[in-house]
């Protein structure tokens, strides 16, 4: 127990490996801001440079040659400073070759700090109007599935990505939970999981001490970047010592509140700077409940 008046334990840096955009709060930009606002230093390794989210229009894609990306990863892996890092998050990949390099970097960190969690956000596709599609090349999705997901302590797929990774239909909460258990990682958080209430969104966590869901009202036409954000906030909450249910509930509340405030102001991007208090201490109402797993064993 920490003594009264004692300084809080220092938050370790988090290594973020994902895309970088010039405009907007998706992926690396929003994730880095949120983690730094909470108090973590961030090491940021971009996998691709984009002018904005692809959903906002066509734009130039700049991806480092595979040999150059591997070389910078090798620099990081060989540095004694890598031992400073307390966790890793990977997200969007620019090409399939990056997966092997990222896997080697995660393994290098684990030699320094075996307890440093690795969160894999398998950014590969989404589901709209009941039909899901990959928005990365199949080779990239397969590289994430085969090389990164098996290494991860936490995996955070959306419902479509979970179905693609496991080859299962995800139309109900029980199907999502069963598929999460098939994936086999210590913690699988299914974002935008099928909700029990109408006009609601659920985030479902299958963890080592059972399953829990956090549910809140849905918001029409939300800005992009919510999956990146909830993954980072959930991991930060775990690093802060919160239990699974509290970490999930708080992360869900922050994302819900930030989305609601951004939409209310007519923004087409998450308003991280203007509404940053939502990241740190959200007041939004999010309900959480334990999920019985007996029916999900199919």
């Amino acid at each position: 127990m920490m003594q009264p008046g004692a300084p809080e334990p220092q938050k370790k840096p988090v290594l973020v490996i994902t895309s970088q955009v010039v405009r907007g709060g998706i992926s690396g930009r929003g994730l880095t801001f949120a983690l730094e606002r909470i108090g973590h230093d961030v090491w940021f390794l971009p996998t691709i440079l984009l002018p904005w989210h692809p959903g906002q229009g066509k734009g130039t894609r700049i991806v480092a040659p595979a040999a150059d990306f591997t070389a910078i990863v090798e620099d990081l892996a060989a540095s004694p400073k890598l031992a400073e890092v307390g966790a890793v998050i990977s997200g969007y990949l620019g090409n399939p070759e990056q997966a092997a390099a990222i896997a080697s970097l995660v393994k290098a960190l684990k030699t320094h700090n075996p307890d440093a969690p690795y969160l894999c956000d398998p950014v590969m596709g989404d589901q709209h109007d009941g039909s899901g599609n990959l928005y990365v090349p199949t080779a990239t999705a397969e590289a994430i599935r085969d090389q990164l997901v098996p290494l991860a302590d936490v995996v955070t797929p959306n419902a479509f990505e979970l179905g693609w990774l496991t080859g299962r239909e995800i139309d109900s909460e029980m199907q999502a939970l069963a598929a999460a258990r098939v994936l086999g990682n210590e913690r699988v958080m299914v974002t935008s999981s099928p909700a029990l209430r109408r006009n609601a969104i659920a985030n479902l966590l299958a963890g080592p001490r059972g399953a829990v869901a956090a549910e809140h009202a849905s918001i029409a036409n939300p800005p992009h970047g919510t999956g990146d954000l909830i993954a980072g906030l959930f991991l930060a909450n775990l690093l802060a010592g919160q239990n699974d249910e509290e970490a999930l509930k708080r992360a869900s509340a922050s994302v819900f509140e930030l989305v609601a405030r951004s939409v209310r102001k007519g923004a087409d991007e998450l308003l991280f700077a203007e509404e940053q208090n939502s990241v740190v201490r959200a007041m939004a109402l999010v309900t959480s409940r334990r999920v019985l797993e007996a029916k999900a064993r199919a």
Side-chain angles (χ1 to χ4, degrees), residues 18-298:
T18 191
S19 59
Q20 169 71 47
V21 294
V22 176
R23 176 189 183 272
I26 68 163
S27 222
R29 285 200 68 195
L31 189 49
T32 296
F33 180 91
L35 289 170
E36 290 181 338
R37 182 63 181 82
I38 292 169
H40 290 276
D41 285 333
V42 175
W43 292 25
F44 181 31
L45 174 59
T47 56
I48 184 173
L49 177 62
L50 302 164
W52 41 67
H53 187 280
Q56 295 195 350
K58 187 177 179 180
T60 301
R61 298 165 52 93
I62 300 176
V63 181
D68 291 344
F69 186 85
T70 299
I72 199 168
V73 164
E74 290 174 347
D75 290 342
L76 295 171
S79 172
K81 294 186 178 298
L82 185 64
E84 300 171 1
V85 173
V88 185
I89 300 174
S90 71
Y92 188 92
L93 302 192
N95 59 44
E97 291 79 12
Q98 291 176 344
I102 294 168
S104 69
L105 185 54
V106 170
K107 292 173 184 177
L109 174 60
K110 293 279 191 177
T111 63
H112 291 287
N113 185 0
D115 295 327
Y118 167 43
L119 184 150
C120 175
D121 186 9
V123 181
M124 59 177 68
D126 208 343
Q127 185 163 325
H128 299 285
D129 301 324
S131 62
N133 293 287
L134 290 175
Y135 49 59
V136 300
T138 301
T140 300
E142 290 173 343
I144 294 171
R145 179 194 64 195
D146 298 340
Q147 299 181 59
L148 297 182
V149 169
L151 289 178
D153 304 290
V154 185
V155 186
T156 59
N158 60 36
F160 166 75
E161 290 161 343
L162 178 62
W164 191 90
L165 288 168
T166 60
R168 290 185 165 220
E169 294 290 330
I170 310 295
D171 295 320
S172 70
E173 184 175 82
M174 288 297 100
Q175 288 177 331
L177 180 52
R181 291 304 189 193
V182 166
L183 206 56
N185 300 79
E186 183 177 26
R187 289 177 174 86
V188 178
M189 181 175 68
V190 187
T191 61
S192 300
S193 176
L196 293 188
R197 293 187 292 129
R198 294 183 61 185
N199 301 317
I201 288 178
N203 296 305
L204 173 68
L205 176 67
R209 294 179 179 83
V212 61
E215 197 164 302
H216 58 77
S218 62
I219 298 173
N221 302 315
H224 298 289
T226 56
D228 310 310
L229 179 59
I230 195 169
L233 292 178
F234 175 69
L235 181 62
N237 290 343
L238 290 181
L239 292 172
Q242 295 173 23
N243 63 40
D244 283 354
E245 185 168 1
E246 188 68 14
L248 178 68
K249 188 175 180 179
R250 290 194 183 189
S252 299
S254 287
V255 175
F256 175 45
E257 184 171 296
L258 182 59
V259 169
R261 290 178 181 272
S262 300
V263 169
R264 191 178 302 129
K265 294 184 176 182
D268 63 351
E269 296 283 355
L270 294 173
L271 298 177
F272 279 98
E274 191 172 339
E275 301 294 344
Q276 58 188 274
N277 284 341
S278 297
V279 173
V280 181
R281 190 173 291 107
M283 304 300 291
L285 178 62
V286 171
T287 60
S288 63
R289 53 186 166 77
R290 306 298 296 185
V291 180
L292 298 178
E293 299 200 53
K295 296 180 181 180
R297 295 296 184 184

